[in-house]
Amino acid sequence: MENARDLAERTPRSDRKRRDSFGMFDGYDSCSEESTSSSSSDDSEDEVVPSIPASLPIIKNNGQVYTYPDGKAGMATCEMCGMVGVRDAFYSKTKRFCSVSCSRSYSSNSKKASILARLQGKPPTKKAKVLQKQPLMAKLAAYAQYQASQQNQAKLKAVVPGESFDWGQYICSSNTVGAPVSCFKHAPMGTCWGDIEVGVRIEVPNSDTNFSTKVYWIAEIIKLAGFKALLRYEGFDSDTSKDFWCNLCIPEVHPVGWCASSGKPLVPPKSIQHKYSNWKTFLVKRLTGAKTLPPNFNDMVQENMQFPFKKLMRVEVVDKNYLSRTRVALVEQVIGGRLRLVYEESQGGADDFWCHMYSPLIHNIGWSRSIGHRFKRSDITRKLDGQVDAPPQLFQKTKEVDQSGDWFKDGMKLEAIDPLNLSAICVATVRKVLADGYLMIGIDGSEAVDGSDWFCYHGTSPSIFPVGFCEINNIELTPPRGYTKLPFKWFDYLRETGSVAAPVRLFNKEVPNHGFRLGMKLEAVDLMEPRLVCVATVTRIVHRLLRIHFDGWEDEYDQWVDCESPDLYPVGWCQLTGYQLQPPASQSNREMSQSVPKQKKKAQQYKGQKKNEHLQRPNELLHALEVPGEVAFSLVCIRGTQQCPLDCLP
């Protein structure tokens, strides 16, 4: 026994352990399930130096190269980047840093760790620990939230069908581009996507392997589309045969160095296992100077997937059957920041409405009374256990305006997106000025006698425009229904109606650098059936206004929306949140929807089947929207066209 122990002590640690400091096995063929399952917990931080092969060079960013002596003394570790090298070659009398740049970076709180240090899974320096330090209770709370979110997503997946649409194949076949995540500030990771771009390296599961256990390899981002990335394993160079699409926000995606720090094996794909004799040297050469994800990327994703609205919170929301008033509704579900609201008087929860938590359609309890908006009082006198009014700070804030001076007046004319036909910008009128900058807007020629279709817009809303906006920007303006003097001329119309145009200076003229470009793909809510999120394309950009086309559908279903609309999401948002994505409509599907106009089918939640063949006015027809999923009948066609034939009547 003593001879065996002496032999083990004389044997270098790198020879005794099959997995090296990269977390990578020496040879693909030598990897087995037995070695994969072995624990790496016996690797102490103090023994990092002897565990690194003597043949492995350390490549510095400044060009200096250090090599490891075979187990000899006189080694030092850089306190800035974690590099290990010969002590005599280190900088300064204290030998704390490997170079002048590391010494200066340490002094300025910089954290520029080298690629090799990441691969070796080095712990952060003392200063880095201070910079990244978080309270223990915060970590425990985050972990508890993560577990809760995982359980909730498991429940949602049991209800919501999984994503069947292949975004990657669709983008590649059409040679299109997905809108960057940074375009969607309201979406998870929208404000902290950072420098994730083509060329970034990550560690992902290796699918090109014969092992039954999960192994990993490093991949490069070849193309980005929202949350989705086209990846190529390192070593394939220009070979595209194993390229694959992956959502970067799933738990299986990690920054380079995660495998080493977590004791997971890095194994090259079997297709190229014999391409290089020394994969470690290959990785050092390929990864030096390359970018990877932030070390806390997965934690950032989980934090961004936490939403403040909870089930049974009470809010005020627009009455979908009577647009000019609001009602009390309860939060029933929260998916990716989208809320399924059930009106308080709903029987069995069937009368619901979907919107994003930042939607201008929802407000805190008491909002309607405070600004003078119409409100439908509830007959419910007894609250359910657990009900609570949503705190006012959870709602999107509007810009404060001064209504004491020059402001909108009743009867002023303007142009506005029709809330019931979002493909049209129409001639409209300010019908009532409310408090806090809110206005009731009516669409000329189509208003109900009782004003039930007036719509509430804030004075700074990007959905209302000054007179002449459409003409200047070459957009078709929809004239009042029944107006015969065509083409429509604003000067003549103002004179005939004895009205004035709202001053241009009152409108929102801010145009953010939103990042959208023509042809970009995204996932967008069909606001005529707001439970649906569909595959869509940006087909026109006018300042901050976007024309959204639903792929596979006619242009008449397009929607004008603001670039900062919370109803637009990056490619992969549905997959990330567990929401059902509606794929592009095929020709056969459209023909089928047109061939059965009289039927009303009960569709399951989240799967509204097809878009409405006609768009309805509110006072007569919005009850049709109560049918979950699809509306196969209508009373009046799109405004400005002929009446439907009598056999369209239900």
Side-chain angles (χ1 to χ4, degrees):
M1 291 293 292
E2 291 180 1
N3 293 337
R5 188 181 299 111
D6 293 341
L7 179 62
E9 290 175 354
R10 290 194 300 269
T11 303
R13 188 178 183 85
S14 59
D15 293 337
R16 297 202 306 269
K17 284 191 65 62
R18 302 179 69 182
R19 188 183 303 167
D20 63 16
S21 59
F22 277 77
M24 187 174 76
F25 288 88
D26 292 333
Y28 188 94
D29 295 332
S30 66
C31 181
S32 64
E33 292 187 27
E34 179 180 353
S35 60
T36 303
S37 61
S38 63
S39 173
S40 60
S41 60
D42 56 343
D43 284 338
S44 65
E45 295 181 1
D46 296 332
E47 295 180 310
V48 173
V49 174
S51 68
I52 298 176
S55 60
L56 180 60
I58 306 298
I59 301 179
K60 294 293 296 175
N61 291 335
N62 60 8
Q64 295 177 336
V65 179
Y66 299 107
T67 57
Y68 293 101
D70 292 339
K72 296 182 180 179
M75 305 297 292
T77 302
C78 178
E79 293 185 19
M80 176 57 207
C81 67
M83 301 299 294
V84 179
V86 181
R87 179 180 296 276
D88 292 339
F90 269 41
Y91 175 75
S92 79
K93 294 181 180 180
T94 59
K95 306 302 181 185
R96 296 171 58 197
F97 308 103
C98 62
S99 65
V100 178
S101 62
C102 275
S103 176
R104 291 175 178 172
S105 297
Y106 187 92
S107 301
S108 60
N109 290 342
S110 177
K111 297 179 293 181
K112 296 180 179 178
S114 71
I115 288 297
L116 187 61
R118 298 187 72 100
L119 287 172
Q120 291 173 345
K122 292 283 185 182
T125 61
K126 294 180 180 179
K127 183 156 288 190
K129 286 181 178 179
V130 173
L131 292 172
Q132 297 176 353
K133 190 174 182 181
Q134 290 183 350
L136 176 61
M137 293 307 296
K139 291 183 178 180
L140 293 175
Y143 181 69
Q145 288 182 343
Y146 169 75
Q147 286 186 319
S149 67
Q150 292 296 100
Q151 293 175 357
N152 290 337
Q153 290 209 12
K155 293 178 182 178
L156 290 174
K157 288 179 180 178
V159 178
V160 183
E163 182 185 20
S164 58
F165 176 70
D166 188 348
W167 258 119
Q169 182 180 0
Y170 187 67
I171 287 177
C172 288
S173 61
S174 57
N175 193 27
T176 53
V177 178
V181 174
S182 55
C183 292
F184 309 88
K185 304 303 182 186
H186 57 280
M189 301 299 292
T191 58
C192 52
W193 193 245
D195 296 327
I196 299 177
E197 57 189 9
V198 171
V200 167
R201 268 50 167 221
I202 57 178
E203 292 180 353
V204 293
N206 180 4
S207 60
D208 185 17
T209 177
N210 291 329
F211 301 116
S212 57
T213 55
K214 182 180 289 187
V215 295
Y216 294 80
W217 191 242
I218 297 172
E220 178 183 1
I221 297 178
I222 303 300
K223 186 174 183 177
L224 272 174
F227 292 121
K228 294 274 195 173
L230 180 64
L231 302 178
R232 182 175 302 164
Y233 290 123
E234 282 293 347
F236 276 89
D237 300 328
S238 59
D239 183 0
T240 63
S241 61
K242 296 296 181 179
D243 289 2
F244 62 100
W245 284 87
C246 176
N247 194 313
L248 294 180
C249 292
I250 63 175
E252 287 78 13
V253 172
H254 304 281
V256 172
W258 177 84
C259 284
S261 61
S262 304
K264 303 295 183 182
L266 273 179
V267 180
K270 65 179 182 179
S271 302
I272 55 171
Q273 59 178 298
H274 301 300
K275 189 172 181 179
Y276 297 97
S277 59
N278 192 329
W279 281 101
K280 294 180 284 294
T281 302
F282 167 79
L283 286 181
V284 170
K285 183 177 180 180
R286 289 284 294 174
L287 300 179
T288 298
K291 293 182 179 180
T292 187
L293 301 177
N296 61 337
F297 183 76
N298 296 97
D299 295 333
M300 292 166 61
V301 173
Q302 291 303 322
E303 291 174 5
N304 275 259
M305 291 294 290
Q306 306 303 315
F307 306 102
F309 282 88
K310 306 300 178 185
K311 186 174 180 178
L312 294 183
M313 279 188 173
R314 300 172 76 242
V315 302
E316 288 185 10
V317 63
V318 65
D319 187 342
K320 66 182 183 182
N321 299 323
Y322 201 100
L323 291 186
S324 63
R325 69 184 181 190
T326 57
R327 297 171 61 182
V328 172
L330 301 176
V331 176
E332 179 63 25
Q333 282 179 291
V334 183
I335 304 179
R338 300 206 77 220
L339 311 178
R340 177 176 175 250
L341 303 174
V342 176
Y343 291 113
E344 196 170 48
E345 295 175 300
S346 171
Q347 298 295 325
D351 192 8
D352 63 355
F353 182 79
W354 280 93
C355 66
H356 193 271
M357 62 183 183
Y358 294 150
S359 170
L361 301 178
I362 61 170
H363 309 275
N364 58 287
I365 298 296
W367 172 83
S368 297
R369 176 183 294 179
S370 68
I371 69 163
H373 194 283
R374 290 183 184 177
F375 177 76
K376 180 184 179 183
R377 296 186 179 277
S378 173
D379 295 333
I380 302 295
T381 56
R382 178 178 171 273
K383 293 183 179 180
L384 298 174
D385 293 339
Q387 283 189 21
V388 61
D389 293 351
Q393 62 268 24
L394 299 188
F395 299 87
Q396 192 77 342
K397 304 300 181 184
T398 56
K399 183 178 179 180
E400 294 185 3
V401 296
D402 182 11
Q403 295 184 230
S404 61
D406 190 10
W407 187 242
F408 291 95
K409 301 290 191 301
D410 291 0
M412 282 184 172
K413 299 294 182 181
L414 44 79
E415 298 174 3
I417 297 176
D418 184 351
L420 289 176
N421 183 6
L422 295 163
S423 67
I425 299 179
C426 305
V427 174
T429 304
V430 177
R431 291 303 179 189
K432 187 177 181 181
V433 178
L434 308 179
D436 294 343
Y438 287 95
L439 313 169
M440 297 304 296
I441 304 295
I443 303 299
D444 285 20
S446 303
E447 299 174 70
V449 176
D450 58 357
S452 59
D453 58 354
W454 293 354
F455 196 75
C456 186
Y457 280 120
H458 194 266
T460 61
S461 169
S463 297
I464 59 174
F465 317 95
V467 164
F469 173 84
C470 286
E471 182 178 358
I472 292 173
N473 293 285
N474 196 26
I475 299 174
E476 182 180 358
L477 176 67
T478 302
R481 187 176 182 181
Y483 190 76
T484 57
K485 292 185 178 180
L486 302 178
F488 178 84
K489 298 295 183 183
W490 263 115
F491 181 81
D492 295 338
Y493 186 70
L494 292 173
R495 184 181 57 189
E496 293 168 4
T497 56
S499 52
V500 297
V504 176
R505 60 181 174 276
L506 298 181
F507 294 86
N508 182 2
K509 293 181 284 293
E510 296 179 4
V511 181
N513 185 19
H514 48 71
F516 286 102
R517 299 292 181 268
L518 290 178
M520 281 184 170
K521 298 292 183 181
L522 68 162
E523 298 175 3
V525 176
D526 176 4
L527 293 172
M528 297 311 299
E529 294 184 54
R531 63 171 51 83
L532 304 184
V533 178
C534 311
V535 173
T537 306
V538 178
T539 57
R540 191 162 181 207
I541 303 174
V542 181
H543 305 304
R544 61 181 300 150
L545 196 61
L546 307 180
R547 180 85 171 180
I548 301 299
H549 174 76
F550 295 104
D551 291 14
W553 291 95
E554 290 78 11
D555 293 345
E556 65 187 88
Y557 299 112
D558 289 1
Q559 296 179 169
W560 286 108
V561 298
D562 183 60
C563 63
E564 295 181 342
S565 168
D567 297 305
L568 304 178
Y569 308 105
V571 167
W573 178 87
C574 282
Q575 181 191 19
L576 175 63
T577 60
Y579 206 93
Q580 174 68 25
L581 176 66
Q582 304 297 316
S586 64
Q587 182 65 29
S588 58
N589 288 340
R590 293 199 302 272
E591 291 174 353
M592 182 169 24
S593 68
Q594 295 171 6
S595 64
V596 286
K598 299 180 183 179
Q599 298 178 357
K600 290 191 292 182
K601 299 179 181 179
K602 186 176 181 181
Q604 296 188 5
Q605 255 174 2
Y606 315 117
K607 287 190 68 176
Q609 185 180 352
K610 302 293 178 290
K611 293 180 179 296
N612 295 347
E613 198 56 33
H614 306 278
L615 304 180
Q616 293 89 10
R617 294 308 305 169
N619 57 326
E620 309 168 75
L621 314 161
L622 273 181
H623 66 278
L625 296 178
E626 296 177 9
V627 181
E630 72 172 310
V631 183
F633 69 95
S634 93
L635 303 182
V636 180
C637 288
I638 299 172
R639 181 163 43 259
T641 61
Q642 295 181 341
Q643 294 276 337
C644 287
L646 292 178
D647 60 359
C648 278
L649 294 175

